[in-house]
Amino acid sequence: MDKLKTSLREVLLYIKYSKDKEKLQQVVLSDERFHYMKEVQPL
């Protein structure tokens, strides 16, 4: 398994806006820290 390369900040933001897809998209696209995250397929 690859090492997790994110911070608690991004995880908490994702959880906070997970039910509001428009706000989540806005946060992910506008926050530079999310640009470095890699999309992975669920298990």
Side-chain angles (χ1 to χ4, degrees):
M1 181 185 293
D2 293 341
K3 293 182 181 179
L4 183 61
K5 294 184 180 179
T6 188
S7 72
L8 183 57
R9 179 184 177 278
E10 284 78 24
V11 172
L12 293 176
L13 277 173
Y14 189 89
I15 292 169
K16 179 179 179 179
Y17 296 118
S18 64
K19 293 187 182 202
D20 183 348
K21 300 303 179 187
E22 289 181 16
K23 180 66 177 174
L24 178 59
Q25 182 179 21
Q26 182 182 23
V27 169
V28 168
L29 293 175
S30 65
D31 190 329
E32 191 175 302
R33 295 178 187 193
F34 280 99
H35 295 202
Y36 298 102
M37 297 180 79
K38 181 179 177 183
E39 184 177 346
V40 295
Q41 298 298 318
L43 297 175

